[in-house]
Amino acid sequence: MGTVFGVLALLWTSISAQADQPRDWEYRFQEPATGIMEQIKWFEEYTLWFIIPVTTLVLLLILWVILKYRASANPVPSKTSHNTMIEVIWTTGPVIALVCIAIPSFQLLTAQYSPDDAALTVKATGYQWYWGYEYQVENQVSFDSLMLQEGERADAGKEDIAKYPRLLAVDNEVVVPVGETVRLLVTAADVIHSWAIPAFGVKMDAVPGRLNEAWFKADREGLYYGQCSELCGKDHAFMPIAVRVVSKANYETWLAAAASDVNGANKALRAAVEGGQATNKVAAAGN
């Protein structure tokens, strides 16, 4: 029995550690990969301490009124129209609860709009129906990111459905360094889109003619998925977002190689990350 529980615990731990994409029967947030998402998760759990008691109290009051004041049990209704104590309680109680919720809410909002100095700026442009990315670096790197078609998996070396899930995997992932603040400039070229990565706690609308700004700092390496979160047309459901977070060394060699060969740099980076290859293979892709 102990062995069974041990296996289940190990399985749950491994799933939680890799919760960087939607999973079957998932009813809570994905595992946080940024400090902001950690705070969002904490705030959601904190508010439950108010929501559950209030909802329970209201339900019990409704049941109590139904049973106690139904016509058969109370043929002569009370004509009481005022009770000072009840009015004080139902006024001060919600005020106290709202203040307790507002304080951490404002703290979270402040944190979301107070990033550290960015080490990298990436511009994301939404199109019908894919994303375009531009790295604001000395040797500019730009590429489009489209949903990976099933027939393209073999050529792309992304046949592992668990790691590159259907409708979420893309041909070119956004590559960023772990532990570094990334400034994200979001816009659109046609209609309103929305750039969202649940594990990062980031969701920013992409509006034509307007440049919106968001940021994130991933705390652990991995491949993280999101989707366009604004209804943008017939292929809205086929507009995924994928961000690969790697070590700073892998990122720097990938960036150098991607300036001349994005596809080659991506393949070499994937080999380095997934197969434990030396990072110099990433640099070799650009030669």
Side-chain angles (χ1 to χ4, degrees), residues 19-84:
D20 48 16
Q21 58 180 276
R23 310 236 175 224
D24 291 341
W25 301 102
E26 191 170 43
Y27 66 96
R28 297 300 302 274
F29 290 129
Q30 294 180 23
E31 283 299 303
T34 66
I36 289 296
M37 191 57 205
E38 288 277 4
Q39 294 184 52
I40 293 173
K41 183 179 179 183
W42 175 89
F43 183 69
E44 182 262 348
E45 294 171 348
Y46 172 76
T47 55
L48 288 178
W49 287 98
F50 296 90
I51 295 171
I52 293 175
V54 169
T55 304
T56 304
L57 176 62
V58 171
L59 176 61
L60 292 176
L61 286 174
I62 291 174
L63 293 176
W64 180 64
V65 169
I66 291 172
L67 294 174
K68 185 173 177 60
Y69 297 104
R70 68 189 189 277
S72 59
N74 191 44
V76 181
S78 170
K79 295 183 179 181
T80 302
S81 62
H82 180 75
N83 186 298
T84 302

Side-chain angles (χ1 to χ4, degrees), residues 19-218:
D20 48 16
Q21 58 180 276
R23 310 236 175 224
D24 291 341
W25 301 102
E26 191 170 43
Y27 66 96
R28 297 300 302 274
F29 290 129
Q30 294 180 23
E31 283 299 303
T34 66
I36 289 296
M37 191 57 205
E38 288 277 4
Q39 294 184 52
I40 293 173
K41 183 179 179 183
W42 175 89
F43 183 69
E44 182 262 348
E45 294 171 348
Y46 172 76
T47 55
L48 288 178
W49 287 98
F50 296 90
I51 295 171
I52 293 175
V54 169
T55 304
T56 304
L57 176 62
V58 171
L59 176 61
L60 292 176
L61 286 174
I62 291 174
L63 293 176
W64 180 64
V65 169
I66 291 172
L67 294 174
K68 185 173 177 60
Y69 297 104
R70 68 189 189 277
S72 59
N74 191 44
V76 181
S78 170
K79 295 183 179 181
T80 302
S81 62
H82 180 75
N83 186 298
T84 302
M85 181 57 67
I86 291 178
E87 291 185 4
V88 169
I89 291 174
W90 76 32
T91 301
T92 58
V95 169
I96 294 172
L98 289 174
V99 169
C100 292
I101 293 174
I103 293 174
S105 173
F106 291 147
Q107 291 173 338
L108 173 58
L109 193 63
T110 300
Q112 287 180 304
Y113 287 92
S114 303
D116 299 329
D117 291 337
L120 169 67
T121 297
V122 178
K123 181 182 178 183
T125 304
Y127 301 93
Q128 289 180 310
W129 288 268
Y130 63 94
W131 292 92
Y133 296 99
E134 297 177 17
Y135 282 64
Q136 309 297 310
V137 292
E138 184 175 353
N139 295 319
Q140 191 180 76
V141 174
S142 61
F143 55 86
D144 293 332
S145 181
L146 288 80
M147 187 181 74
L148 188 68
Q149 303 298 322
E150 292 303 302
E152 300 171 347
R153 286 185 176 274
D155 291 340
K158 297 179 179 180
E159 296 173 284
D160 185 352
I161 300 294
K163 192 171 187 64
Y164 301 101
R166 178 177 174 271
L167 303 182
L168 287 176
V170 300
D171 54 358
N172 297 311
E173 297 93 6
V174 179
V175 179
V176 298
V178 67
E180 298 285 357
T181 299
V182 178
R183 179 171 174 249
L184 188 70
L185 303 178
V186 184
T187 188
D190 34 51
V191 298
I192 298 177
H193 301 279
S194 185
W195 199 94
I197 296 285
F200 292 173
V202 174
K203 182 178 184 295
M204 182 57 68
D205 281 351
V207 182
R210 178 170 180 174
L211 203 61
N212 289 332
E213 182 176 340
W215 70 279
F216 61 86
K217 182 167 72 173

Side-chain angles (χ1 to χ4, degrees), residues 235-251:
D235 284 343
H236 162 69
F238 309 105
M239 193 173 168
I241 302 163
V243 178
R244 188 185 293 274
V245 182
V246 298
S247 67
K248 189 173 182 180
N250 274 338
Y251 165 73

